[in-house]
């Protein structure tokens, strides 16, 4: 019965001036889940959060996470060819909104790369006419992530707890 189901298609890679965002390969996903280093991983990648995500992806059925537009993508710095982080959507749209998430390893932060990746993902999200907004949450004490969201036009929404939510309505 499962053989009759159409196989998901990997998301098209996103390319910016300095980055490519593409699906993780099965070997990369296995390495991330195991906390292993591959030659294409930048120092500091994977983070413990990346490892948790990859283990969950494998448990849920790797294809959902590597062959879906609603998945984290490998963030590759074109100048080095190394994976410097992961960014994408936390899952399918809910109430016509997508939740965005991601991280860049410390060595590659404060260079505008997170902003570049976020803008590309927002553009991808709004290619779908059914998406009305994109939102993301950051720990209240994570000033760099907050600045990236604000720089890309996100506005803080009232929220409770240890995270602040930022929201960007379709232009």
């Amino acid at each position: 019965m499962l053989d009759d189901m159409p196989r998901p298609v990997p998301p098209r890679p996103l390319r910016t001036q300095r980055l490519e965002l593409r699906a993780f390969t099965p070997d990369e996903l296995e390495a991330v889940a195991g906390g292993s280093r591959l030659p294409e991983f930048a120092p500091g990648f994977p983070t413990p959060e990346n490892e948790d995500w990859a283990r969950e992806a494998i448990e849920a059925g790797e294809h959902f996470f590597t062959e879906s537009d609603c998945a984290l993508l490998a963030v590759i710095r074109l100048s080095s060819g190394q994976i410097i982080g992961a960014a994408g959507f936390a899952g399918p749209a809910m109430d016509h909104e997508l939740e965005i998430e991601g991280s860049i390893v410390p060595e590659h932060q404060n260079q505008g790369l997170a902003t570049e990746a976020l803008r590309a993902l927002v553009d991808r999200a709004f290619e779908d006419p059914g998406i009305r907004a994109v939102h993301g949450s950051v720990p209240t004490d994570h000033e760099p992530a907050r600045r990236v969201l604000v720089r890309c036009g996100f506005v803080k929404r009232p929220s409770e707890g240890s995270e602040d939510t930022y929201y960007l309505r379709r232009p």
Side-chain angles (χ1 to χ4, degrees):
M1 174 130 186
L2 288 177
D3 292 336
D4 296 336
M5 294 180 65
R7 184 124 169 100
V9 177
R12 326 183 293 282
L14 290 167
R15 206 173 253 275
T16 68
Q17 182 179 356
R18 300 177 292 166
L19 302 172
E20 179 179 39
L21 285 75
R22 62 148 171 86
F24 282 90
T25 67
D27 289 344
E28 290 167 347
L29 192 64
E30 286 287 338
V32 172
S36 302
R37 295 229 352 103
L38 293 178
E40 63 265 30
F41 292 175
F45 187 85
T47 66
E49 292 81 13
N50 299 135
E51 293 171 24
D52 291 344
W53 164 79
R55 281 191 293 276
E56 289 173 12
I58 290 169
E59 287 174 20
E62 138 194 345
H63 76 82
F64 175 76
F65 288 89
T66 59
E67 299 181 3
S68 167
D69 279 331
C70 300
L72 289 184
L73 302 171
V75 178
I76 301 161
R77 185 147 197 183
L78 293 173
S79 62
S80 67
Q82 290 188 309
I83 297 174
I84 62 167
F89 303 108
M94 295 184 66
D95 297 324
H96 304 281
E97 288 187 23
L98 283 170
E99 181 178 358
I100 203 155
E101 62 183 8
S103 63
I104 302 288
V105 296
E107 183 179 314
H108 294 274
Q109 293 175 0
N110 300 312
Q111 299 172 39
L113 298 168
T115 300
E116 198 170 313
L118 178 57
R119 286 184 174 138
L121 287 165
V122 165
D123 288 347
R124 168 70 54 87
F126 290 140
E127 287 176 2
D128 180 341
I131 300 299
R132 295 185 199 143
V134 177
H135 69 272
S137 298
V138 297
T140 55
D141 61 349
H142 199 291
E143 184 63 20
R146 184 197 68 75
R147 281 195 313 266
V148 168
L149 289 166
V150 169
R151 191 175 302 121
C152 290
F154 285 70
V155 176
K156 187 174 177 182
R157 238 188 338 197
S159 57
E160 296 179 14
S162 61
E163 291 193 339
D164 292 328
T165 301
Y166 289 81
Y167 179 83
L168 179 66
R169 190 176 309 278
R170 173 184 282 284

